[in-house]
Amino acid sequence: MTAVEKAAGAAPMKSRRSADRIRLVVTHLSLMALAVVFVAPFYWMVSTSLKQDRQIFDPASWYPNPVMWANYKHALTYIPFLRYTENTLLICAVSMFGTVLSCSLVAYSFGRIQWKGRDALFVLVLATLMLPGQVTMIPVFLIFKWLGWIGSYKPLLVPTFFGSAFYVFLLRQFFRSIPAELSESARMDGATEGGIYARIIMPLSKPALATVALFTFIGAWTDFMGPLLFINDPNKYTLSLGLQQFVSQHGAEWSMLMAASTVMALPIIVLYFLAQRTFVEGITLTGIKG
């Protein structure tokens, strides 16, 4: 091959590399711009929580000067923050346990056991996803009122032990990706369906179970409508209701409101970064097999 031919073959390769670099740079710049859009509200919340009142709506004030750490102390003492946190953590813990237990059992039945009418019933379960919460809100409230549960945590906790269509679908997809030979081998050794579920499926499904638990925790931690409907005792308020109470009492004190909101958002951020790898793995693997 002559030098001219080598040069002619290298030119397209260089052009492709240049195009790939340009495409990579454009992609990263687009992602950075999109990240700024998502981070900007959080930055405004944190910076506002550390500002003086006169700085909050000043267009030239991009960062707090001086830094008012006292806003956090005042915000957490205006309302019984620790009590509301304990109430919220109780709801989150029970909701996570109930959701993971019930949804995994139902998903195991739909994904690993053959029985008549299974697929039709699974379609019916998925169809409930099309019903928005606003449609069922009044009937559900009337049911819980008839049961005498209004004013307690039961309307928020008991339904978690009856499964959720979305999480059932998520876990079913993951369970179907586990080789059927493992279950068949266990049955040949005399294992029951309960033993297969507890000793084989559950240990292999930790990423999916962690994803469901994380979603449930976030939903219960940030839930506002549920506690607003069913809880009428201030001693049983959750953090979301506590912040709403703070707004009604101290609506103009934005710095303390943002301080309380930042403290409420911190556990979710920390939990996500700690479980990020498991979370992404669980989301990815649930779509391997339909």
Side-chain angles (χ1 to χ4, degrees):
M1 182 180 293
T2 63
V4 176
E5 292 175 341
K6 289 182 179 180
M13 186 177 297
K14 288 183 178 180
S15 63
R16 283 196 299 269
R17 289 178 180 175
S18 300
D20 291 340
R21 291 193 187 99
I22 294 174
R23 190 180 302 110
L24 188 62
V25 171
V26 172
T27 301
H28 279 77
L29 289 177
S30 302
L31 292 175
M32 290 171 62
L34 190 61
V36 170
V37 173
F38 282 94
V39 171
F42 181 75
Y43 172 77
W44 185 89
M45 179 179 69
V46 175
S47 63
T48 301
S49 69
L50 297 172
K51 289 180 180 180
Q52 295 178 338
D53 291 338
R54 59 182 177 81
Q55 291 181 311
I56 294 177
F57 297 104
D58 183 3
S61 178
W62 289 90
Y63 56 90
N65 186 23
V67 177
M68 301 294 294
W69 294 107
N71 291 337
Y72 284 85
K73 179 181 178 181
H74 295 156
L76 300 183
T77 54
Y78 270 141
I79 58 176
F81 199 87
L82 291 179
R83 185 196 306 161
Y84 294 162
T85 302
E86 292 175 358
N87 297 339
T88 308
L89 287 175
L90 172 64
I91 295 174
C92 289
V94 178
S95 298
M96 289 169 61
F97 175 77
T99 301
V100 171
L101 177 64
S102 60
C103 293
S104 61
L105 286 171
V106 177
Y108 177 78
S109 176
F110 280 134
R112 308 289 297 188
I113 303 177
Q114 294 289 340
W115 45 277
K116 188 176 180 180
R118 182 192 68 172
D119 295 337
L121 185 57
F122 180 66
V123 172
L124 182 62
V125 171
L126 290 184
T128 62
L129 290 173
M130 294 186 290
L131 287 174
Q134 293 82 355
V135 173
T136 59
M137 184 184 302
I138 295 178
V140 169
F141 179 84
L142 293 176
I143 292 173
F144 289 141
K145 184 180 180 181
W146 177 74
L147 293 172
W149 289 0
I150 301 300
S152 68
Y153 291 142
K154 291 180 181 178
L156 302 176
L157 301 180
V158 174
T160 63
F161 288 87
F162 290 88
S164 169
F166 175 73
Y167 297 139
V168 168
F169 169 75
L170 197 70
L171 291 176
R172 174 186 176 272
Q173 296 302 101
F174 190 93
F175 291 168
R176 287 171 63 88
S177 69
I178 299 175
E181 290 79 7
L182 296 175
S183 299
E184 295 299 331
S185 299
R187 290 191 184 95
M188 292 178 63
D189 291 337
T192 61
E193 292 296 341
I196 297 173
Y197 162 81
R199 298 178 182 179
I200 297 178
I201 302 301
M202 294 297 280
L204 293 175
S205 306
K206 291 180 180 178
L209 296 174
T211 301
V212 171
L214 182 61
F215 276 156
T216 304
F217 177 87
I218 295 175
W221 184 266
T222 60
D223 184 24
F224 175 75
M225 187 58 65
L228 181 65
L229 286 175
F230 305 121
I231 299 177
N232 49 28
D233 184 359
N235 292 323
K236 296 180 179 180
Y237 278 1
T238 60
L239 281 174
S240 57
L241 285 183
L243 287 180
Q244 191 273 339
Q245 184 186 30
F246 185 96
V247 172
S248 63
Q249 295 179 358
H250 312 282
E253 299 179 8
W254 292 100
S255 56
M256 286 188 288
L257 176 61
M258 292 300 105
S261 301
T262 301
V263 174
M264 183 178 176
L266 275 179
I268 296 178
I269 298 173
V270 173
L271 182 64
Y272 173 75
F273 280 106
L274 291 178
Q276 183 178 11
R277 179 175 298 179
T278 305
F279 172 73
V280 174
E281 182 180 357
I283 289 293
T284 303
L285 295 179
T286 49
I288 286 181
K289 188 175 182 179

